[in-house]
Amino acid sequence: MKRSLLFIPGNRPNMIQNGLVLPADALIFDLEDSVLEEEKDAARTLVASALSSLDFGLKELVVRINEMSSPHALKDIEAVVPAGCESILLPKTEHSDDILELDRWLDTVEQASGIPPGSTSLILLIETALGVEKAFELAKASRRVKALALGAEDLAADLGCERTGEGTEILYSRTRLVIAARAAGVEVFDTPFTDTYDEQGCFLDTVFAKKLGFDGKLSISPHHLAPIHKAFTPSQEALENALEVQQAMQEAQREGRGAVALRGRMIDMPVLKQAERVIQWAKAARMLKGEADDESR
Amino acid sequence: MSRDNKVVATLSDAIRRSGLKDGMCVSFHHHLREGDRVLNLVLDECARLGIKNLKVNASALMACHRPILKRIKDGTVSHIECNYMHKAVGGPISKGLLESEVIFRSHGGRPAALTRGESVIDVAFIAASTADRAGNCNGREGKAAFGSIGYAMPDAEMADHVVIMTDHLAKYPLSTASIDERWVDSVVVVDSIGDPEKIMSGTTRITRDPVGLLIADYAAKAILASGLLIDGFSFQTGAGGISLAVAHYLGALMREEKITGSFASGGITGTLVDLHEEGLFEKLLDVQCFDRDAVASIGKNAMHREISASTYASPASKSAVVDHLDVVILGATEIDTNFNVNVHTDSNGIIMGGSGGHSDTAAGSNLSIIVAPLMRARLPLIVDRVSTISTPGSDVDLLVTQFGMACHPDNDELRLRLLDANLPVFSMEALKDKAESLTGIPVRRLPEGRRVASVISRDGVLLDTIKSRV
């Protein structure tokens, strides 16, 4: 479960080192927007070196490569995949052909590096009108695709609309992406909150995204990790209820039943599914003792 | 001079009246911090009068006191005692500018040394932002108000001769006499004792650095896990960005757990004032105001009490505020595998600080927590042996870094409580290894010249020495 995916500029050694300790569920080392054209090579080397030499614990390691149309994308893949990158974040995804080509590149690089074939996942960053329209098709383009993610700043520019605090202008895109991801059987991550110091605003934005069905949220600031995690942390009451549901369903299944009554309420598979989601969030928030999801001891 | 009016016309007159002679000791406080003018003013006047070989006993020497270097060179000053020395002064001292050794004490050790007679002040020059003609004075009123005058109180009581220097002469009797007339010999009115805008120097804001905030969050959780965070809890923290962030997070925990603390002490900041005004700490015990908010508070909040350095931390007092402290948050330049902490010298062994209240509060409190990043500019925090022992490791309970925390081996109960709270606890050696895996093991080149300073423990014994760069 990835509640938070934190962008780290690929050309900033100190920030990369901070990634060792910041409590993000996933780190996205950025080789695209945060790196100037003349620094692309140095950043690629730095990120590959960090991936291969530093122990980031159980955090998922993602790299945002440059656009497929750029001269950097293949070099990015060739450097970071052998170094230990687990997922590629593909920017401005619009065409299935790009995904298929990336798929082939990954096949080659994985084979050459002795990495199990198909083990590098793809997260598709949807940040254009065309991308939103084709979200389901893109999500189904490769078995490597494990998630869609929304990039609302570029999307707003493409739509020609103004980005607002309440986010009305991206509501359709958000719900469309959730539906496309669910239909394709992949996860879906919300757009970053952009006001670095407005932690309460980030919390409320994340609560809303969670209500829409997002599994996690991209983050451009370490200051947003706490509010994002807080938004994805269930109440103690919700957790106890979920554990009760899980236990009741386990007992029902042992007895060969698909549904069971719990304090007058009918419990079945959809209810169990929701309960398991709550339990996963609780585990991520270390609410369940001995089941911390990171390297703490 | 009449006992009714002790005002003398000039500083020069005051110095002459005091009987100050070659080789005597003059003292100063640093409540105006980087805005202080009094120390430089007095030493310039002494130089003009041809007085030589003075010992300067200052609670702290800040960067603004850099002109003292000139007074060392011209022979006006030949000895220094202080509790803190900014690198602007410490750098040249480390190069051997002063022939004699600097004596470093702590904020509690300084008044204790006066009480025990190990240190003697001939003439105390005390900056006061307001004073009356008899010498009743304080730091709360006047254009250069700086708040508590706590570090000067022992000087007033124990110096042979006391000169109050003010830029605001009030009518007799002054309503709040932090230092009262029975100790005062003369009063000098000067144009300006200093710039109160420079009290807040540098770091008295909550850090925005995410790593600093992570350390602070761990420290606050460690306090909660320690079991000490109950009604009546007492707390002290410094003015560094991480320390203030600990206070901020602690406030949130106290709010959540509905806990009211008895007092917060030490150098007081706006952050602590906010917690007091919110009712999270019943009282503030203030030996020094670190920012303008604290200065404003001491003038208006009845439960914001001014205390002397002796009451704050002196081991020669029958008891002191630090003895009642539950938790103190402290910084470190280096810490070693025996938990000894250095706040006197930098990684090259150059003087850049001092104990202040570090060793006093570490010794007095139930739980002393060091908060610091595991690496600074690619140098690891943890070393085999600190370049200077400022606070002995036996007085330190816990180190908190962004990579986790290390508990003193003698405090196993704390270690178990932290583990029980699912906090990342390691051995000091493991944290050291972690840092070195990221930075490599730097080659340390510590000074090997003659001794330039001695660090005296709060109990008056030699703790460590500092050598000059060859």
Side-chain angles (χ1 to χ4, degrees), chain B residues 62-125:
Chain B
M62 312 298 285
C64 67
H65 298 133
R66 203 181 282 107
I68 197 174
L69 301 173
K70 195 173 150 195
R71 297 298 158 228
I72 293 170
K73 287 176 192 161
D74 72 13
T76 308
V77 173
S78 59
H79 292 78
I80 293 177
E81 262 191 56
C82 62
N83 311 337
Y84 174 93
M85 184 180 278
H86 189 278
K87 64 182 176 189
V89 179
I93 297 288
S94 277
K95 285 182 183 164
L97 178 71
L98 190 69
E99 276 184 31
S100 65
E101 286 171 31
V102 170
I103 302 295
F104 276 111
R105 300 187 191 275
S106 67
H107 284 332
R110 182 176 183 269
L114 294 173
T115 304
R116 291 191 294 249
E118 293 160 5
S119 183
V120 173
I121 298 170
D122 294 301
V123 185
F125 291 91

Coordinates of all heavy atoms in Angstrom, one line a residue, chain B residues 62-125:
Chain B
M62 N 29.8 37.2 22.6 CA 29.1 37.0 21.3 C 29.9 37.5 20.2 O 31.0 38.1 20.4 CB 27.7 37.7 21.4 CG 26.9 37.4 22.6 SD 26.4 35.7 22.8 CE 25.2 35.5 21.6
A63 N 29.4 37.4 19.0 CA 30.2 37.9 17.8 C 30.3 39.5 17.9 O 31.4 40.0 17.5 CB 29.5 37.6 16.5
C64 N 29.3 40.1 18.5 CA 29.4 41.6 18.6 C 30.5 42.0 19.6 O 30.9 43.2 19.7 CB 28.1 42.1 19.1 SG 27.6 41.7 20.8
H65 N 31.1 41.1 20.3 CA 32.2 41.4 21.3 C 33.5 41.2 20.6 O 34.6 41.2 21.3 CB 32.0 40.5 22.5 CG 30.8 40.8 23.3 ND1 30.0 39.8 23.8 CD2 30.2 41.9 23.6 CE1 28.9 40.3 24.4 NE2 29.0 41.6 24.3
R66 N 33.6 41.1 19.3 CA 34.8 40.9 18.6 C 35.9 42.0 19.0 O 37.1 41.6 19.0 CB 34.5 40.9 17.1 CG 35.5 40.3 16.2 CD 35.1 40.4 14.7 NE 34.1 39.5 14.3 CZ 32.8 39.9 14.0 NH1 32.5 41.1 14.1 NH2 32.0 39.0 13.6
P67 N 35.5 43.2 19.3 CA 36.5 44.2 19.6 C 37.3 43.8 20.8 O 38.4 44.4 21.1 CB 35.7 45.5 19.9 CG 34.4 45.3 19.1 CD 34.1 43.8 19.1
I68 N 36.9 42.8 21.6 CA 37.8 42.4 22.7 C 39.1 41.9 22.2 O 40.1 41.9 23.0 CB 37.0 41.3 23.6 CG1 37.7 41.2 24.9 CG2 37.1 39.9 22.9 CD1 37.0 40.2 25.9
L69 N 39.2 41.4 21.0 CA 40.4 40.9 20.4 C 41.5 42.1 20.4 O 42.6 41.8 20.7 CB 40.2 40.4 19.0 CG 39.2 39.2 18.9 CD1 38.9 38.9 17.4 CD2 39.7 38.0 19.6
K70 N 41.0 43.3 20.1 CA 41.9 44.4 20.1 C 42.4 44.7 21.5 O 43.5 45.1 21.7 CB 41.1 45.6 19.5 CG 41.9 46.8 19.1 CD 40.9 47.8 18.4 CE 41.4 49.2 18.6 NZ 40.4 50.2 18.3
R71 N 41.5 44.5 22.4 CA 41.9 44.8 23.8 C 42.8 43.7 24.4 O 43.5 44.0 25.3 CB 40.6 44.9 24.7 CG 39.7 46.0 24.3 CD 40.4 47.4 24.5 NE 39.7 48.4 23.7 CZ 40.4 49.2 22.9 NH1 41.7 49.2 22.8 NH2 39.8 50.1 22.2
I72 N 42.8 42.6 23.8 CA 43.7 41.5 24.2 C 45.1 41.9 23.6 O 46.1 41.9 24.3 CB 43.3 40.1 23.7 CG1 42.1 39.7 24.4 CG2 44.5 39.1 23.8 CD1 41.4 38.4 23.8
K73 N 45.1 42.4 22.4 CA 46.3 42.8 21.7 C 47.0 43.9 22.4 O 48.2 44.0 22.5 CB 46.1 43.1 20.2 CG 45.8 41.8 19.4 CD 45.4 42.2 18.0 CE 44.9 41.1 17.2 NZ 44.1 41.5 16.0
D74 N 46.2 44.9 22.9 CA 46.8 46.1 23.5 C 47.1 45.9 25.0 O 47.5 46.9 25.6 CB 46.0 47.4 23.2 CG 44.7 47.5 23.9 OD1 44.4 46.7 24.9 OD2 43.8 48.3 23.5
G75 N 46.8 44.7 25.5 CA 47.1 44.4 26.9 C 46.1 44.8 27.9 O 46.3 44.6 29.1
T76 N 45.0 45.4 27.4 CA 43.9 45.8 28.4 C 43.4 44.5 29.0 O 43.1 44.5 30.2 CB 42.8 46.5 27.7 OG1 43.4 47.6 27.0 CG2 41.8 47.1 28.7
V77 N 43.2 43.5 28.2 CA 42.6 42.2 28.7 C 43.7 41.1 28.6 O 44.3 40.9 27.6 CB 41.4 41.8 27.9 CG1 40.8 40.4 28.3 CG2 40.3 42.9 28.0
S78 N 43.8 40.4 29.7 CA 44.8 39.3 29.7 C 44.2 38.0 30.1 O 44.9 36.9 30.0 CB 46.0 39.6 30.6 OG 45.6 39.9 31.9
H79 N 43.0 38.0 30.7 CA 42.4 36.7 31.1 C 40.9 36.8 30.8 O 40.3 37.8 30.8 CB 42.5 36.5 32.6 CG 43.9 36.3 33.1 ND1 44.9 37.3 33.2 CD2 44.5 35.1 33.4 CE1 46.0 36.7 33.5 NE2 45.8 35.4 33.7
I80 N 40.3 35.6 30.4 CA 38.9 35.5 30.1 C 38.3 34.3 30.8 O 38.8 33.2 30.8 CB 38.6 35.4 28.6 CG1 39.1 36.7 27.9 CG2 37.2 35.1 28.3 CD1 38.9 36.6 26.4
E81 N 37.1 34.6 31.4 CA 36.3 33.5 31.9 C 34.9 33.7 31.3 O 34.4 34.8 31.2 CB 36.1 33.6 33.4 CG 37.0 32.7 34.2 CD 36.6 32.6 35.7 OE1 35.4 32.3 36.0 OE2 37.5 32.9 36.5
C82 N 34.3 32.6 30.8 CA 33.0 32.8 30.2 C 32.3 31.4 30.1 O 32.9 30.4 30.3 CB 33.1 33.4 28.8 SG 34.0 32.5 27.6
N83 N 31.0 31.4 29.7 CA 30.2 30.2 29.6 C 30.0 29.8 28.1 O 29.5 28.8 27.8 CB 28.9 30.3 30.3 CG 29.0 30.8 31.7 OD1 30.1 30.7 32.3 ND2 27.9 31.4 32.2
Y84 N 30.3 30.8 27.3 CA 30.1 30.6 25.8 C 31.0 31.6 25.1 O 31.1 32.7 25.6 CB 28.6 30.9 25.5 CG 28.3 30.8 24.0 CD1 27.8 29.7 23.4 CD2 28.4 32.0 23.2 CE1 27.5 29.6 22.1 CE2 28.1 32.0 21.9 CZ 27.7 30.8 21.3 OH 27.4 30.7 20.0
M85 N 31.5 31.2 24.0 CA 32.4 32.1 23.2 C 32.1 31.9 21.7 O 32.3 30.8 21.2 CB 33.8 31.8 23.5 CG 34.8 32.8 22.8 SD 36.5 32.4 23.1 CE 36.7 33.2 24.7
H86 N 31.5 32.9 21.1 CA 31.2 32.8 19.6 C 32.5 32.6 18.9 O 33.6 33.1 19.3 CB 30.5 34.1 19.2 CG 30.0 34.0 17.8 ND1 30.7 34.2 16.7 CD2 28.7 33.8 17.4 CE1 30.0 34.1 15.6 NE2 28.8 33.8 16.0
K87 N 32.4 31.9 17.7 CA 33.6 31.6 16.9 C 34.3 32.9 16.5 O 35.6 32.8 16.2 CB 33.3 30.7 15.7 CG 32.4 31.4 14.7 CD 32.0 30.4 13.6 CE 31.1 31.1 12.7 NZ 30.5 30.2 11.6
A88 N 33.6 34.0 16.4 CA 34.3 35.2 16.0 C 35.4 35.6 17.0 O 36.4 36.2 16.6 CB 33.3 36.4 15.9
V89 N 35.1 35.3 18.2 CA 36.2 35.5 19.3 C 37.0 34.2 19.4 O 38.2 34.2 19.6 CB 35.5 35.9 20.6 CG1 36.6 36.1 21.7 CG2 34.7 37.2 20.4
G90 N 36.3 33.1 19.4 CA 36.9 31.8 19.7 C 38.0 31.4 18.7 O 39.0 30.8 19.0
G91 N 37.8 31.8 17.4 CA 38.7 31.5 16.3 C 40.1 32.0 16.7 O 41.1 31.2 16.8
P92 N 40.2 33.3 16.9 CA 41.6 33.9 17.2 C 42.1 33.3 18.5 O 43.3 33.1 18.7 CB 41.3 35.4 17.3 CG 40.1 35.6 16.4 CD 39.3 34.4 16.6
I93 N 41.2 33.1 19.5 CA 41.7 32.5 20.8 C 42.3 31.1 20.5 O 43.3 30.7 21.1 CB 40.5 32.4 21.8 CG1 40.0 33.8 22.1 CG2 41.0 31.6 23.0 CD1 40.8 34.6 23.0
S94 N 41.6 30.4 19.6 CA 42.2 29.0 19.3 C 43.5 29.1 18.6 O 44.3 28.1 18.6 CB 41.1 28.3 18.4 OG 40.2 27.7 19.2
K95 N 43.8 30.2 18.0 CA 45.1 30.4 17.3 C 46.1 30.9 18.3 O 47.3 31.1 17.9 CB 45.0 31.4 16.2 CG 44.2 30.8 15.0 CD 44.2 31.8 13.8 CE 43.4 31.3 12.6 NZ 43.0 32.4 11.7
G96 N 45.7 31.1 19.6 CA 46.7 31.4 20.6 C 46.9 32.9 20.8 O 47.9 33.3 21.4
L97 N 45.8 33.7 20.5 CA 45.9 35.1 20.7 C 46.1 35.5 22.2 O 46.9 36.4 22.5 CB 44.6 35.8 20.2 CG 44.5 37.3 20.4 CD1 45.5 38.0 19.4 CD2 43.1 37.8 20.1
L98 N 45.4 34.8 23.0 CA 45.5 35.1 24.5 C 46.5 34.2 25.1 O 46.5 32.9 25.0 CB 44.1 34.8 25.1 CG 43.8 35.3 26.5 CD1 43.8 36.8 26.6 CD2 42.5 34.7 27.0
E99 N 47.4 34.8 25.9 CA 48.5 33.9 26.5 C 48.0 33.0 27.5 O 48.4 31.9 27.7 CB 49.6 34.8 27.0 CG 50.6 35.3 26.0 CD 51.7 36.1 26.6 OE1 52.1 35.8 27.7 OE2 52.2 37.0 25.9
S100 N 47.0 33.5 28.4 CA 46.5 32.7 29.4 C 45.4 31.8 28.9 O 44.9 32.0 27.8 CB 46.0 33.6 30.5 OG 44.9 34.3 30.1
E101 N 45.0 30.8 29.7 CA 43.9 29.9 29.3 C 42.6 30.6 29.6 O 42.4 31.1 30.6 CB 44.0 28.6 30.1 CG 45.1 27.7 29.7 CD 45.2 26.6 30.7 OE1 44.1 26.2 31.2 OE2 46.3 26.1 30.9
V102 N 41.7 30.4 28.6 CA 40.3 30.8 28.9 C 39.7 29.8 29.8 O 40.0 28.6 29.7 CB 39.5 30.8 27.5 CG1 38.0 30.9 27.8 CG2 39.9 31.9 26.6
I103 N 38.9 30.3 30.8 CA 38.2 29.4 31.7 C 36.8 29.3 31.3 O 36.1 30.3 31.3 CB 38.3 29.9 33.2 CG1 39.8 30.1 33.6 CG2 37.5 29.0 34.1 CD1 40.6 28.8 33.7
F104 N 36.4 28.1 30.8 CA 35.0 27.9 30.4 C 34.2 27.3 31.6 O 34.6 26.3 32.2 CB 34.9 27.0 29.3 CG 35.0 27.6 27.9 CD1 36.2 27.3 27.2 CD2 34.1 28.5 27.4 CE1 36.3 27.9 25.9 CE2 34.2 29.1 26.2 CZ 35.4 28.8 25.4
R105 N 33.1 28.0 32.0 CA 32.2 27.4 33.0 C 30.9 27.2 32.4 O 30.7 27.5 31.2 CB 32.1 28.3 34.2 CG 33.5 28.5 34.9 CD 33.3 29.2 36.2 NE 34.6 29.7 36.8 CZ 35.4 28.9 37.5 NH1 35.1 27.7 37.8 NH2 36.6 29.4 37.9
S106 N 29.9 26.8 33.1 CA 28.5 26.7 32.7 C 27.7 27.8 33.3 O 28.2 28.5 34.3 CB 27.9 25.3 33.1 OG 27.8 25.2 34.5
H107 N 26.4 28.0 32.9 CA 25.6 29.0 33.5 C 25.4 28.8 35.0 O 25.2 29.7 35.8 CB 24.3 29.1 32.8 CG 24.4 29.8 31.4 ND1 25.4 30.7 31.2 CD2 23.7 29.7 30.3 CE1 25.2 31.2 29.9 NE2 24.2 30.5 29.3
G108 N 25.4 27.5 35.4 CA 25.2 27.2 36.8 C 26.6 27.2 37.5 O 26.7 27.6 38.7
G109 N 27.6 26.8 36.8 CA 28.9 26.7 37.3 C 29.5 28.1 37.6 O 30.3 28.2 38.6
R110 N 29.1 29.1 36.9 CA 29.7 30.4 37.0 C 29.3 31.0 38.4 O 30.2 31.4 39.2 CB 29.2 31.3 35.9 CG 29.8 32.7 35.9 CD 29.3 33.5 34.6 NE 29.9 34.8 34.6 CZ 29.3 35.9 35.1 NH1 28.1 35.8 35.7 NH2 29.8 37.1 35.0
P111 N 28.0 31.1 38.7 CA 27.6 31.6 40.1 C 28.1 30.7 41.2 O 28.5 31.1 42.3 CB 26.1 31.6 40.0 CG 25.6 30.8 38.9 CD 26.8 30.8 37.9
A112 N 28.2 29.3 40.9 CA 28.8 28.4 41.9 C 30.2 28.8 42.2 O 30.6 28.8 43.4 CB 28.6 27.0 41.4
A113 N 31.0 29.1 41.2 CA 32.4 29.5 41.4 C 32.5 30.8 42.2 O 33.4 30.9 43.0 CB 33.1 29.6 40.0
L114 N 31.6 31.7 41.9 CA 31.5 32.9 42.7 C 31.2 32.6 44.2 O 31.9 33.1 45.1 CB 30.5 33.9 42.2 CG 30.8 34.5 40.7 CD1 29.6 35.3 40.2 CD2 32.1 35.3 40.7
T115 N 30.3 31.8 44.4 CA 29.9 31.4 45.8 C 31.0 30.7 46.5 O 31.3 31.0 47.7 CB 28.6 30.5 45.7 OG1 27.6 31.1 45.0 CG2 28.1 30.1 47.1
R116 N 31.7 29.8 45.8 CA 32.7 29.1 46.4 C 34.1 29.8 46.5 O 35.0 29.4 47.1 CB 33.0 27.8 45.7 CG 31.8 26.8 45.8 CD 32.2 25.4 45.2 NE 32.5 25.5 43.8 CZ 31.7 24.9 42.8 NH1 30.6 24.2 43.2 NH2 32.0 25.0 41.6
G117 N 34.1 31.0 45.9 CA 35.3 31.8 45.9 C 36.3 31.4 44.9 O 37.5 31.9 44.9
E118 N 36.0 30.5 44.0 CA 36.9 30.1 43.0 C 37.1 31.2 41.9 O 38.1 31.2 41.2 CB 36.4 28.8 42.4 CG 36.4 27.6 43.3 CD 35.5 26.5 42.9 OE1 35.0 26.6 41.8 OE2 35.4 25.5 43.6
S119 N 36.1 32.0 41.9 CA 36.1 33.1 40.9 C 35.7 34.4 41.7 O 34.8 34.3 42.5 CB 35.2 32.8 39.8 OG 35.2 33.8 38.8
V120 N 36.4 35.5 41.4 CA 36.1 36.7 42.2 C 35.9 37.8 41.2 O 36.7 38.0 40.2 CB 37.3 37.0 43.1 CG1 37.1 38.4 43.8 CG2 37.4 36.0 44.2
I121 N 34.8 38.6 41.4 CA 34.6 39.7 40.5 C 34.9 41.0 41.3 O 34.3 41.2 42.4 CB 33.1 39.8 40.0 CG1 32.8 38.5 39.2 CG2 32.9 41.0 39.2 CD1 31.4 38.4 38.8
D122 N 35.8 41.8 40.7 CA 36.1 43.1 41.4 C 35.0 44.1 41.1 O 34.5 44.8 42.0 CB 37.5 43.6 41.0 CG 38.6 42.7 41.5 OD1 38.6 42.5 42.8 OD2 39.3 42.1 40.7
V123 N 34.8 44.3 39.8 CA 33.7 45.3 39.4 C 32.8 44.7 38.4 O 33.2 44.2 37.3 CB 34.4 46.6 38.8 CG1 33.3 47.6 38.5 CG2 35.5 47.1 39.7
A124 N 31.5 44.7 38.7 CA 30.5 44.2 37.8 C 29.9 45.4 37.0 O 29.4 46.3 37.7 CB 29.4 43.4 38.5
F125 N 30.0 45.3 35.7 CA 29.3 46.3 34.9 C 28.0 45.7 34.4 O 28.1 44.7 33.5 CB 30.2 46.8 33.7 CG 31.4 47.6 34.2 CD1 32.6 46.9 34.5 CD2 31.3 48.9 34.4 CE1 33.7 47.6 34.9 CE2 32.4 49.7 34.8 CZ 33.6 49.0 35.1

